[in-house]
Amino acid sequence: MSERATWSLRGRNPDILSCIASLSNDEVFTPPEFANRMLDTLAEAWAESNNGANIWADSTVTFLDPCTKSGVFLREITRRLTEGLAVEIPDLQERVDHILTKQVFGIAITRLTALMSRRSLYCSKHAKGTHSIAKSFASDNGNIWFERIEHTWNNGRCSFCGASAGTLDRSSNLETHAYAFIHEDDLSATITEMFGVDMQFDVIIGNPPYQLNDGGGAGTSASPLYHLFIRQAQELSPRYLSMVVPSKWFSGGKGLDSFRSQMLGDRRVRFIADYPNSRDAFEGVDVAGGVMYFLWDRDNPGTCAVETISGVNRNLAERNLDEYEVFIRDNRALEIVKRIQAFNVQSMATIVSARQPFGNVTCLESGQRGDTYIYASGGDGFANRDTITKGTDIIDKWKVLLSKTSSEHAGQSDRSGRKRVLSRIELMSPGTAATESYLIVGPFDSEYEAANAADYLRTRFVRFLVSTILLTQNITRAAFSFVPLQDFSKSWSDSDLFHMYGLTELDVDLIEKTIKPMIKDES
C-alpha cells in the first residue's frame, strides 16, 4: 500500500471536511484546521507532562471521539500517528492497522455521521471493505460504533437528556437523537460492549451536539446537551479531555448553573481558548455568545491559561476560574472588574427586577382603555390594575424600563467593533406597568432620581460591565452583578465614573473601543 494511496483523501482540493464544516448551523461540524489547533494543544500538554515525549510517537495511547460527525478528529489523529510511529512500526500497512484497530475509536451521533466518519477514517463506508485502508477488522463498523438508541421516557421527558416525547418519540425510520454516550448509567460497561474490550481511554476529544429541541413553547425551545457529554467524559477519567462547545455556559444557559460551578471550580481545566465571535473558529457559522475549547488534565491540577482569540488578536493570561460565580471571558475586562469590586459597593442588580416583573400581564384589545398604561414590545396599551398579579407596589412609583432582549443593533458590533449592549431605556411614570418583554429598574421616589438612573444605564461604564457577563441577547438581573449601585440624587457621567473608580488610560481606552456612545434619544 503506497503512502499516496493511504492518504489520498488529504490531497483533495478543497478538503471535503472543510466544505462540510461550513454547511449549516444544524450540526456544527469541525473544520480540519480547528481540529488541529485542539490536537496541537493536546500534544503540548502531553509533552510538558511526559518529559518532552511526542504523543504521536506512542503506540499505546488510545483516543475516543464520543460524538463523531465528519470523523475529522479521528482522521487527523490517525494522520499524526501514522507519521509519528514510522520508526517504531516501519511497515506502513502494519502501522495503519495498529492505529485503526488499537488506538482510534469513535461513537457516531447518527447513522449518516457513522458512514461519513468511516469514509473519512477508513476511506470506505465499510471498515473491512475492498477500499478500506484497514485490513484487520472483523466487522464493517470497525471502531466507529453506531446503533439506534431509544430515549427513556418518564412523564413525557427523557430521563437522560430531557427530550420531549412529543418531539422525539419517533418511528424506526427516523433518528431519535438519543446519543449513546449520554444515555447510559454504566458507560464503562457500555463501551466494553461497543468495542469488545475493556477500554480506558487516554484522550477523549470531540465537538458534541450543542442543543436539542425540548418541546417547550411553540416548539422553538432548546436545552443544552454539550455539558452532558463533558460530564460523561469526565466520569470515564481519561488522562486528557478536550471539547469545543458554546461559550454561553460562562455566565448563562438553560439549566447550566451547576455545570458552570463545577467547571469553574475544577482545577484540572488547564487551558481555555475562547472565540467571542464563532466565525473566528467556524467560518460562516454563528453561535450566539461564541465558542470555546478547553483542555482538562486529570493528573496536573493548577491555574488555567485563558486565551481570548478575536480575529488576529490574542490575549493570554493565567487565571483561577472561580474568582466569581460567572466567568469573565476577557482578561483585560477582569482586571477592571476587580478594581471596581475592591470598592465593595452594593450591586445594581439589587434594584433590577426578575423576569415578569408584573406577572403575565397583557394589554386589552386595541381601542380599550384600562386604568394602567402597559409598555409592550408589540405596541403599548392598557390593562386593568386588578388583573396585574405582581409588582403592584411599584405601579405608582417612578421606574426605568429596560428591554430584556438586546436588539440586533444593540447586541452586535459595528464596523469599529463596538457594541451598544442595552436597547430600550425609558422612564416609566407612576401608573404604569410592563409585559414580560421588559425588566424594571427601581423604584424611585422622584422623576429626577429615575432620570439619573436611566442616564447611568446609558454610560459606557455600565454597559461595559454588563457586557462582561452578557454573552447572548437575553438580559437578566444577573447581568448587572458587577455594576455598582450609585446615589441617584445626582447625575453620573463616564468621566465621573472613570475617575471615581481609578480606571487607567488603558482601561478607558478598552471601554471606549468596546462600547458605543449612547444618547438619550437613541434609547
Side-chain angles (χ1 to χ4, degrees), residues 278-307:
S278 62
R279 289 174 178 261
D280 288 330
F282 305 143
E283 185 177 354
V285 178
D286 285 318
V287 178
V291 298
M292 57 81 71
Y293 75 84
F294 66 92
L295 184 72
W296 182 89
D297 185 340
R298 183 191 67 193
D299 300 328
N300 295 286
T303 57
C304 182
V306 178
E307 184 173 30

Side-chain angles (χ1 to χ4, degrees), residues 7-20 32-33 75:
W7 300 112
S8 59
L9 184 64
R10 291 282 300 169
R12 295 182 183 176
N13 188 20
D15 185 340
I16 188 62
L17 298 193
S18 295
C19 298
I20 290 172
E33 296 77 10
R75 188 190 76 176

Side-chain angles (χ1 to χ4, degrees), residues 28 207-211 224-227 230 243-252 256 259 273-275 278 282 287-294 329 471-472:
V28 181
N207 180 3
Y210 294 166
Q211 62 186 31
L225 285 180
Y226 54 90
H227 65 301
I230 293 172
M243 287 189 174
V244 52
V245 298
S247 298
K248 64 179 65 176
W249 70 267
F250 287 165
S251 62
L256 293 177
F259 172 74
D274 178 33
Y275 297 78
S278 62
F282 305 143
V287 178
V291 298
M292 57 81 71
Y293 75 84
F294 66 92
R329 70 193 316 173
L471 300 188
T472 65

Side-chain angles (χ1 to χ4, degrees), residues 388-406:
I388 299 174
T389 59
K390 287 174 61 179
T392 54
D393 56 325
I394 64 171
I395 290 177
D396 292 322
K397 296 279 190 177
W398 283 96
K399 308 168 285 290
V400 176
L401 181 83
L402 181 65
S403 177
K404 76 171 187 178
T405 303
S406 293

Side-chain angles (χ1 to χ4, degrees), residues 3-11 75 78-79 82 96 133:
E3 194 84 34
R4 181 179 178 185
T6 305
W7 300 112
S8 59
L9 184 64
R10 291 282 300 169
R75 188 190 76 176
T78 299
R79 179 181 62 82
T82 300
V96 169
I133 61 173

Side-chain angles (χ1 to χ4, degrees), residues 153-332:
W153 303 120
N154 183 13
N155 295 323
R157 294 281 176 185
C158 177
S159 300
F160 290 99
C161 70
S164 166
T167 304
L168 289 176
D169 190 3
R170 294 173 155 187
S171 60
S172 60
N173 63 324
L174 296 174
E175 292 284 357
T176 64
H177 298 286
Y179 306 117
F181 195 70
I182 60 172
H183 282 74
E184 297 291 344
D185 286 318
D186 190 346
L187 185 58
S188 294
T190 300
I191 285 178
T192 299
E193 292 178 11
M194 289 176 177
F195 301 116
V197 288
D198 185 10
M199 296 297 305
Q200 174 59 51
F201 294 104
D202 296 295
V203 177
I204 297 179
I205 190 167
N207 180 3
Y210 294 166
Q211 62 186 31
L212 192 67
N213 188 321
D214 64 9
T220 59
S221 178
S223 294
L225 285 180
Y226 54 90
H227 65 301
L228 302 179
F229 281 85
I230 293 172
R231 282 177 165 167
Q232 283 285 72
Q234 289 171 330
E235 287 296 315
L236 291 178
S237 192
R239 293 175 69 179
Y240 293 95
L241 166 63
S242 185
M243 287 189 174
V244 52
V245 298
S247 298
K248 64 179 65 176
W249 70 267
F250 287 165
S251 62
K254 186 176 182 179
L256 293 177
D257 289 348
S258 63
F259 172 74
R260 176 168 49 255
S261 178
Q262 170 211 329
M263 286 290 283
L264 296 183
D266 191 341
R267 290 177 63 79
R268 294 167 295 181
V269 179
R270 297 303 310 278
F271 179 77
I272 285 177
D274 178 33
Y275 297 78
N277 183 348
S278 62
R279 289 174 178 261
D280 288 330
F282 305 143
E283 185 177 354
V285 178
D286 285 318
V287 178
V291 298
M292 57 81 71
Y293 75 84
F294 66 92
L295 184 72
W296 182 89
D297 185 340
R298 183 191 67 193
D299 300 328
N300 295 286
T303 57
C304 182
V306 178
E307 184 173 30
T308 303
I309 300 101
S310 183
V312 297
N313 299 314
R314 291 172 176 261
N315 182 272
L316 180 67
E318 287 283 338
R319 294 169 52 177
N320 290 315
L321 300 181
D322 57 353
E323 292 177 280
Y324 300 104
E325 291 184 1
V326 296
F327 179 73
I328 300 174
R329 70 193 316 173
D330 190 297
N331 297 318
R332 301 163 300 171

Side-chain angles (χ1 to χ4, degrees), residues 18-48:
S18 295
C19 298
I20 290 172
S22 58
L23 284 178
S24 73
N25 285 1
D26 295 336
E27 288 289 355
V28 181
F29 290 87
T30 313
E33 296 77 10
F34 192 85
N36 277 298
R37 289 182 215 172
M38 295 174 64
L39 294 174
D40 287 343
T41 301
L42 167 67
E44 290 168 10
W46 181 278
E48 185 175 342

